[in-house]
Amino acid sequence: MADLRRSPLYGRHVDLGAKMAGFGGWEMPIEYAGRGVLAEHSAVRGAVGIFDVSHLGKAEVTGAGAAAFVNACLSNDLGRISAGQAQYTLCCAEDGGVVDDLIAYLFSAERVLLVPNAANNAEVVARLAEAAPAGVSVTDRHTGFGVLAVQGPAAPTLVAALGLPTDGAYMSFVEAEWKGHPVIVCRSGYTGERGYELLPRWDDTPALWDALFAAGEALGASPVGLGARDTLRTEMGYPLHGQDLSREITPVQARSGWAVGWGKERFWGREALLAERAAGAARLLWGLTSTGRAIPRPHMPVTTAGGEPVGEVTSGTFSPTLRQGIGLALLGRGVNEGDTVNVDVRGRPSPMTVVRPPFVQSSPR
């Protein structure tokens, strides 16, 4: 595909018969031949799945005061964690809109590794580089590291089989070695299952991928594409930037205020977000469960039972676990948990129940 970048595992995906498509400027696997979204989803919930998410961005902020600088820019409070821990955070614009959501790896007061979304990496790097004081460097490391997500009940067994550490607390990380090569091992993921995100050097990624599948054969390990990654995260109610968070959807509206250090003196968008929080957001992110066979999809209008417009679906899919349609929607403040609303599914009003995600129980810790 013209102008699309490729992960270091592109050849592996082609060999596995993956359906490839553009995502965030990268040519990535959506699903694999002989498997498909439902089977890949079930592998993660029941055994272990291995994802190539090397398209995710990477940026390093280094130098004296690097962590303090990041903390003054991004929403969450790095003071809540210590070295060796990772944190979900947001890069906001001054009006409170979300430029990106990302993970910050705190190595020390002088080094922070950031993992933004693929499509937003360059903008996050540019914003930080422009604001960086003397002595602090912001370096684009997009192709410095690969990222392999190992997710599911058997993930600890599989990662341990490679001699990598598995006993860390949720959202902690260590700098480990595999066959003499450095690998960052983080207890994290985007599926709701216990899992790990492994960050090898870019050129070491194919060998680590091969080793995971060799060790995982007896565990029922499956490659998992971005299709199942979306159904898994939707079942947990995790937001996807560009749909459930965006420049037009603030963390207050998306119920992501837990990722904001409200007591900090500085972070981008602070004043706008404090004002919105105090006034109350005009709309909020809710979950929807279909009462029939309809499946909600992004941008479908939502109305009350009486036909009054109340919002729009931001994410929607068929839940392989629940065997029903589920979705996330931005709805007006008059909507409450347990209400029945109608989603316009191809011109037909389809009743759905307003709920609070997650839709299924998680076990990430």
Side-chain angles (χ1 to χ4, degrees):
M1 300 181 187
D3 301 324
L4 291 179
R5 303 174 77 178
R6 291 175 173 173
S7 96
L9 295 172
Y10 174 81
R12 301 296 195 277
H13 303 317
V14 172
D15 290 344
L16 287 168
K19 176 184 177 182
M20 307 295 288
F23 186 86
W26 291 71
E27 189 174 0
M28 297 299 293
I30 304 302
E31 60 182 51
Y32 291 88
R35 295 177 174 86
V37 171
L38 296 183
E40 293 167 24
H41 181 110
S42 297
V44 175
R45 292 279 184 245
V48 60
I50 304 170
F51 304 72
D52 173 20
V53 285
S54 300
H55 66 301
L56 292 174
K58 302 101 192 169
E60 284 196 276
V61 184
T62 55
F69 163 65
V70 171
N71 205 35
C73 297
L74 305 185
S75 69
N76 214 335
D77 188 356
L78 285 176
R80 295 172 177 170
I81 65 173
S82 55
Q85 291 181 295
Q87 184 182 69
Y88 177 81
T89 190
L90 306 166
C91 176
C92 294
E94 288 302 335
D95 63 1
V98 181
V99 174
D100 198 26
D101 61 339
L102 58 161
I103 303 294
Y105 289 71
L106 180 61
F107 286 83
S108 68
E110 291 77 37
R111 182 189 177 199
V112 181
L113 173 67
L114 302 175
V115 181
N117 284 289
N120 301 323
N121 188 72
E123 182 167 3
V124 170
V125 168
R127 285 172 176 263
L128 288 168
E130 183 179 5
V136 172
S137 298
V138 181
T139 306
D140 187 336
R141 297 294 306 279
H142 206 150
T143 57
F145 301 92
V147 186
L148 301 179
V150 184
Q151 304 284 302
T157 304
L158 176 52
V159 172
L162 270 63
L164 294 171
T166 61
D167 56 356
Y170 184 60
M171 293 300 282
S172 70
F173 70 91
V174 294
E175 295 180 90
E177 281 194 358
W178 175 73
K179 293 189 174 181
H181 299 283
V183 181
I184 299 169
V185 180
C186 188
R187 274 272 291 110
S188 55
Y190 194 46
T191 66
E193 297 295 332
R194 185 178 178 94
Y196 304 84
E197 290 178 308
L198 312 179
L199 281 71
R201 291 184 301 199
W202 187 263
D203 291 341
D204 294 338
T205 307
L208 184 58
W209 169 272
D210 293 343
L212 285 167
F213 279 102
E217 185 175 359
L219 300 171
S222 172
V224 185
L226 298 186
R229 189 170 186 253
D230 192 60
T231 58
L232 289 158
R233 71 93 188 168
T234 304
E235 286 189 342
M236 300 313 304
Y238 295 159
L240 175 65
H241 188 270
Q243 292 184 195
D244 315 297
L245 285 166
S246 69
R247 287 296 303 269
E248 291 73 41
I249 304 172
T250 71
V252 178
Q253 297 165 23
R255 300 185 189 271
S256 296
W258 60 271
V260 177
W262 296 106
K264 295 198 303 181
E265 292 184 1
R266 292 178 56 199
F267 61 88
W268 291 337
R270 180 178 182 272
E271 298 307 317
L273 291 173
L274 283 171
E276 184 179 34
R277 184 192 189 204
R283 55 185 186 168
L284 290 170
L285 196 67
W286 286 97
L288 298 176
T289 56
S290 178
T291 60
R293 299 178 62 184
I295 300 174
R297 300 294 186 188
H299 307 300
M300 287 181 173
V302 183
T303 62
T304 65
E308 293 296 319
V310 290
E312 183 179 83
V313 176
T314 55
S315 286
T317 190
F318 173 78
S319 163
T321 303
L322 301 177
R323 310 300 295 181
Q324 69 181 137
I326 61 172
L328 301 174
L330 276 173
L331 304 176
R333 287 301 295 261
V335 177
N336 296 297
E337 185 176 8
D339 286 356
T340 296
V341 294
N342 286 325
V343 174
D344 184 342
V345 180
R346 295 185 298 275
R348 181 174 300 176
S350 301
M352 302 198 184
T353 304
V354 178
V355 301
R356 288 183 181 270
F359 299 94
V360 301
Q361 294 301 309
S362 67
S363 54
R365 290 170 174 80

